[in-house]
């Protein structure tokens, strides 16, 4: 019996609704598998926790979390009570940075039972590998002067180590998929970091002669995500470009509410963290209608990370069977509750 210790952080808003639903599904997966077991412990770190304690997580929170195999996160943020820069940097980004979760992966595919807003979506199935630790989201920079003379400087930081790491992850991932990697660049307009990005990509691809490659400028690539998404397999992108592309990926699927993400530590020193893309949605919290699919698909990605790929594929297949049968939350055209969707997935997993 394989045992996986999972740290559970429901966080804010609908995270407190979709995480329990997804855990029910995850434990059902373990029951059906018969050879794995999930031991979970929940932590209350959230904006409510901040109001009570003046911090988003315990002082020794990272020491606690590092002993788990993975972190399963619901959502972070409630700007009505805590500014976003406080909540995000005090919990989500703190974990990403301190645990060296240098890769962010987000899939997008034509999902059964979920109409794409594209007129002719065909059968797209792609994965964006986003560099998650530096690039345009560096903290380097500052502001000087006041009034009309005020100046803001934001420095993008690209290291060869970080850039190459993301690219090698993308190429290794492509080996398990359709064998193609696309690089997102903008070297015709950003004259230092992007030519550097291109140079590293050209070096790395030489070590993967069996993988086909292409290079697209980010503006054209964003358009291609809409006009011909079926032509892509794995896309590797910088922090900012990857962030933009993955939101487009969620949009062409038909809802960002089903989109999952994995923050991957590649050196084995710390756990990876898995979270849906949708955020805390405080406007619908407590109504029981939050879409649990993003969180459940996130659980599938966690299964893949543990090497339980067959069970992960089975889980996603069942999720698509459920949406195809019309058992969906209101945000994607149904009338089922959060719990009803999760329970139907559990029922079908056991069949």
């Amino acid at each position: 019996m394989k045992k996986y210790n999972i740290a559970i952080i429901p966080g804010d808003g609908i995270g407190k609704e979709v995480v329990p639903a997804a855990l029910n599904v995850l434990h059902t997966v373990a029951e059906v598998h018969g050879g794995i077991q999930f031991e979970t412990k929940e932590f209350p770190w959230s904006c409510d926790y901040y109001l009570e304690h003046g911090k988003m997580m315990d002082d020794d929170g990272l020491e606690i979390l590092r002993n788990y195999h993975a972190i399963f996160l619901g959502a972070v943020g409630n700007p009505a009570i805590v500014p976003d820069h406080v909540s995000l940097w005090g919990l989500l980004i703190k974990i990403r940075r301190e645990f060296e979760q240098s890769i962010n992966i987000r899939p997008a595919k034509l999902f059964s039972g979920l109409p794409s807003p594209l007129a002719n979506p065909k059968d797209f199935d792609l994965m964006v590998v986003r560099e998650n630790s530096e690039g345009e989201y560096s903290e380097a920079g500052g502001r000087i002067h006041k009034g009309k003379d005020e100046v803001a400087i934001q420095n993008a930081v690209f290291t060869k180590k970080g850039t190459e790491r993301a690219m090698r992850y993308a190429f290794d991932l492509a080996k398990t998929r359709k064998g193609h990697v696309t690089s997102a660049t903008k070297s015709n307009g950003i004259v230092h970091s992007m030519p550097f990005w291109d140079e590293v990509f050209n070096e790395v691809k030489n070590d993967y002669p069996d993988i086909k490659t292409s290079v697209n400028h980010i503006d054209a690539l964003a358009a291609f995500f809409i006009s011909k998404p079926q032509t892509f397999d794995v896309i590797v992108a910088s922090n900012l470009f990857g962030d933009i592309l993955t939101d487009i990926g969620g949009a062409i699927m038909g809802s960002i509410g089903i989109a999952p993400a994995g923050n991957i530590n590649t050196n084995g020193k710390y756990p990876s963290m898995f979270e849906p893309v949708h955020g805390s949605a405080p406007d619908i919290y407590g109504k029981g209608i939050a879409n649990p699919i993003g969180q459940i698909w996130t659980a599938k990605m966690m299964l893949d990370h543990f090497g339980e790929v067959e069970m992960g594929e089975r889980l996603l297949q069942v999720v698509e069977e459920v949406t195809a049968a019309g058992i969906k939350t209101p945000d994607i055209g149904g009338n089922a509750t959060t719990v009803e969707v999760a329970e139907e997935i559990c029922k079908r997993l056991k069949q």
Side-chain angles (χ1 to χ4, degrees), residues 167-287:
M167 290 173 177
R168 290 195 180 278
Y169 190 96
F171 275 93
D172 289 337
L173 183 61
K175 288 180 181 179
T176 69
R177 292 173 52 92
K178 292 178 284 188
H180 190 280
V181 175
T182 300
S183 172
T185 186
K186 190 56 182 171
S187 50
N188 63 346
I190 304 176
V191 298
H192 297 300
S193 61
M194 285 294 106
F196 172 79
W197 175 277
D198 293 347
E199 290 165 13
V200 177
F201 185 77
N202 287 331
E203 289 178 14
V204 171
K205 75 177 183 180
N206 290 330
D207 293 336
Y208 297 86
D210 296 331
I211 303 296
K212 296 179 181 179
T213 63
S214 59
V215 177
N216 288 130
H217 292 301
I218 184 61
D219 44 349
L221 185 54
F224 293 154
F225 259 45
I226 296 168
S227 62
K228 52 179 183 179
Q230 75 280 1
T231 63
F232 296 103
D233 179 20
V234 178
I235 302 94
V236 62
S238 67
N239 214 331
L240 174 61
F241 292 173
D243 201 3
I244 294 169
L245 290 174
T246 51
D247 272 14
I248 298 175
I252 62 176
M253 281 197 291
S255 173
I256 203 167
I258 71 167
N263 300 285
I264 308 300
N265 170 272
T266 60
N267 59 28
K269 291 168 59 179
Y270 306 101
S272 296
M273 179 167 61
F274 299 87
E275 57 172 322
V277 176
H278 53 57
S280 60
D283 56 319
I284 62 168
Y285 170 57
K287 297 180 180 179

Side-chain angles (χ1 to χ4, degrees), residues 12-13 16 46-48 51 56 75-84 87-88 280-283 285:
D12 297 301
K16 291 180 255 188
S46 62
C47 288
D48 288 335
L51 290 184
M56 289 296 297
V76 177
N78 185 349
I81 59 175
V82 178
D84 276 343
S87 60
L88 290 175
S280 60
D283 56 319
Y285 170 57

Side-chain angles (χ1 to χ4, degrees), residues 111-116 253-255 258 288-293 318-345 348:
F111 209 84
S112 298
L114 184 62
S116 168
M253 281 197 291
S255 173
I258 71 167
I289 59 172
N291 193 335
I293 291 177
V318 169
V319 171
E320 290 197 73
E321 289 174 3
V322 169
T323 56
I327 304 168
K328 303 181 287 188
T329 47
D331 61 302
I332 53 174
N335 54 20
T337 66
T338 306
V339 172
E340 287 170 344
V341 171
E343 287 181 345
E344 182 65 20
I345 292 169
R348 293 184 182 230

Side-chain angles (χ1 to χ4, degrees), residues 137-192:
Y137 291 176
S138 160
E139 296 176 72
R143 295 166 68 163
I144 58 174
H145 307 313
K146 298 292 182 181
K148 293 182 179 180
D149 293 324
E150 188 170 10
V151 178
I153 300 172
Q154 180 72 48
N155 295 324
V157 176
F158 287 76
T159 66
K160 186 163 188 178
K161 179 180 178 181
T163 301
E164 183 174 337
R165 180 171 52 208
M167 290 173 177
R168 290 195 180 278
Y169 190 96
F171 275 93
D172 289 337
L173 183 61
K175 288 180 181 179
T176 69
R177 292 173 52 92
K178 292 178 284 188
H180 190 280
V181 175
T182 300
S183 172
T185 186
K186 190 56 182 171
S187 50
N188 63 346
I190 304 176
V191 298
H192 297 300

Side-chain angles (χ1 to χ4, degrees), residues 93-111:
I93 297 177
K94 185 179 181 68
I95 295 171
R96 283 181 182 175
R97 296 285 170 94
E98 295 294 327
F99 281 175
E100 300 176 17
Q101 294 169 348
S102 57
I103 305 293
N104 182 275
I105 53 175
R106 296 184 184 180
K109 69 189 295 292
L110 187 62
F111 209 84

